[in-house]
Amino acid sequence: MNVMRTGMLLAFMTALFMGVGFLIGGTGGMMIALVVATVMNLFSYWNSDKMVLRMHNAVEVDEANAPEYYRIVRDLAANANLPMPKVYLIQNAQPNAFATGRNPQNAAVAASTGLLQALTPQEVAAVMAHELAHVEHRDTLTMTITATLAGAISMLGNFAMFFGGNRQNNNPLGFIGIIAAMVVAPFAAMIVQMAISRTREYAADRRGAQICGNPLWLASALNKIARGAKQIVNEDAERNPASAPLFIINPLSGQGADNLFSTHPSTENRIAALEAMAQEFRQAQPAPQQGRRVQAPAEEEIQDDRPSPWGRNGGGRKGPWA
């Protein structure tokens, strides 16, 4: 089912890409767009995860230089019966995180330094469990390829104003076609991203809560991340808005509402769903969890002189992320 869904998505985005080419250059432009889209689809399948990580200046870390962060991801992956993903750190003050990769065997998770500083270890565990849920559901391939193609469609739409004015381009719709290429096609790509992102965030929230064992950890984390995302501008995300749906909370400024133009569901609605899930947990009889439950370190158990995961001595708030 996931393979079919991804194939349908690729076909739609390719058709949209060809449509933009047709509006800009007629039949010749459509054929060129088909060739470009085919190459991009193949390239995106193998390299889109690397592109997204590079966009956000993510640096791979391991147990030697980010022990607490790495250990939490390792324990969560074991709890979910998933292969250990690559672990990345983003030097960004905005608290946020995302997952990418074409399959669970080639997955990567990334958290910002702002997230590790602002959240408790339990909340960090919940966020990374949410990202691993995306990996388990194979959302990472679909969302990463969609982000790559949506960005390309938007760029092609911008080129329309330069190439569309050429009378030799066989554009059958004239100026109307140019406007459609500039506005309608990028908007359609954005709508596809929104629809995909919204439905999958709820599913990843629920599965992430199961993986970490406590829905309220994730509810608390979402509240903190949403507040931080409103207060701190993520310049890398603003330069690459097509990657926004990959994040656990929309990293773009001014995008907090659950409306037509939001790439994510309302944070309040997600928190309410997690609180309802916590109530279900309390009412249900205790049942053995699959795998082993992650044990995030309690803050009071951490020595004050422990270095931070990225080599700076912690100051102020105590904990492995300070």
Side-chain angles (χ1 to χ4, degrees):
M1 185 65 182
N2 285 320
V3 174
M4 182 181 298
R5 181 178 59 189
T6 301
M8 292 176 63
L9 176 65
L10 286 174
F12 175 81
M13 297 296 282
T14 300
L16 187 57
F17 199 82
M18 291 173 61
V20 176
F22 179 74
L23 292 173
I24 295 174
T27 304
M30 182 176 66
M31 295 309 297
I32 293 173
L34 174 61
V35 174
V36 173
T38 301
V39 173
M40 285 195 64
N41 283 336
L42 293 173
F43 181 82
S44 296
Y45 180 83
W46 294 104
N47 298 287
S48 55
D49 54 339
K50 301 179 184 68
M51 292 176 59
V52 171
L53 291 165
R54 193 177 301 115
M55 284 178 188
H56 295 278
N57 300 307
V59 177
E60 187 173 1
V61 296
D62 55 28
E63 197 164 11
N65 54 19
E68 303 293 347
Y69 172 36
Y70 187 91
R71 181 180 62 80
I72 282 180
V73 175
R74 181 193 64 203
D75 290 350
L76 289 165
N79 199 41
N81 290 324
L82 288 171
M84 178 64 186
K86 292 183 178 179
V87 182
Y88 284 82
L89 190 66
I90 305 168
Q91 291 285 348
N92 195 301
Q94 184 188 83
N96 229 315
F98 66 85
T100 186
R102 63 183 181 272
N103 54 41
Q105 290 72 35
N106 295 276
V109 294
S112 69
T113 52
L115 182 135
L116 300 182
Q117 290 171 334
L119 272 57
T120 67
Q122 289 81 7
E123 292 164 346
V124 171
V127 170
M128 304 321 295
H130 169 98
E131 300 306 332
L132 287 174
H134 280 307
V135 172
E136 183 179 71
H137 296 162
R138 296 179 183 265
D139 297 337
T140 51
L141 172 63
T142 304
M143 292 305 302
T144 306
I145 291 180
T146 304
T148 303
L149 290 178
I153 290 170
S154 297
M155 185 180 299
L156 193 60
N158 291 333
F159 288 161
M161 69 176 68
F162 299 104
F163 298 114
N166 184 354
R167 295 183 179 181
Q168 304 301 320
N169 62 9
N170 299 319
N171 182 346
L173 300 180
F175 185 71
I176 295 177
I178 297 172
I179 295 298
M182 291 173 57
V183 179
V184 177
F187 183 77
M190 182 179 66
I191 292 297
V192 173
Q193 283 188 289
M194 291 175 186
I196 295 170
S197 179
R198 287 186 180 194
T199 57
R200 294 182 180 181
E201 289 306 317
Y202 283 117
D205 283 348
R206 186 170 187 85
R207 178 55 182 150
Q210 293 172 343
I211 292 172
C212 74
N214 192 328
L216 296 182
W217 289 358
L218 184 54
S220 177
L222 290 176
N223 183 48
K224 289 183 180 180
I225 297 171
R227 285 190 282 111
K230 289 179 180 179
Q231 297 169 1
I232 303 171
V233 176
N234 187 328
E235 294 182 358
D236 291 330
E238 297 290 345
R239 284 193 295 267
N240 303 284
S243 66
L246 294 173
F247 287 82
I248 188 170
I249 290 289
N250 192 340
L252 304 180
S253 57
Q255 299 291 326
D258 191 9
N259 54 39
L260 177 63
F261 299 102
S262 176
T263 60
H264 290 65
S266 163
T267 303
E268 290 75 13
N269 290 349
R270 293 170 69 182
I271 290 174
L274 288 164
E275 289 174 343
M277 184 178 179
Q279 184 65 25
E280 293 174 12
F281 276 21
R282 285 192 289 267
Q283 293 175 350
Q285 293 294 325
Q289 295 289 329
Q290 184 179 14
R292 59 194 179 101
R293 185 166 171 173
V294 63
Q295 294 295 326
E299 289 184 283
E300 62 272 13
E301 295 175 355
I302 299 166
Q303 299 298 321
D304 293 351
D305 59 351
R306 174 175 288 186
S308 70
W310 44 90
R312 291 185 288 110
N313 290 327
R317 176 180 177 274
K318 305 303 180 184
W321 331 115

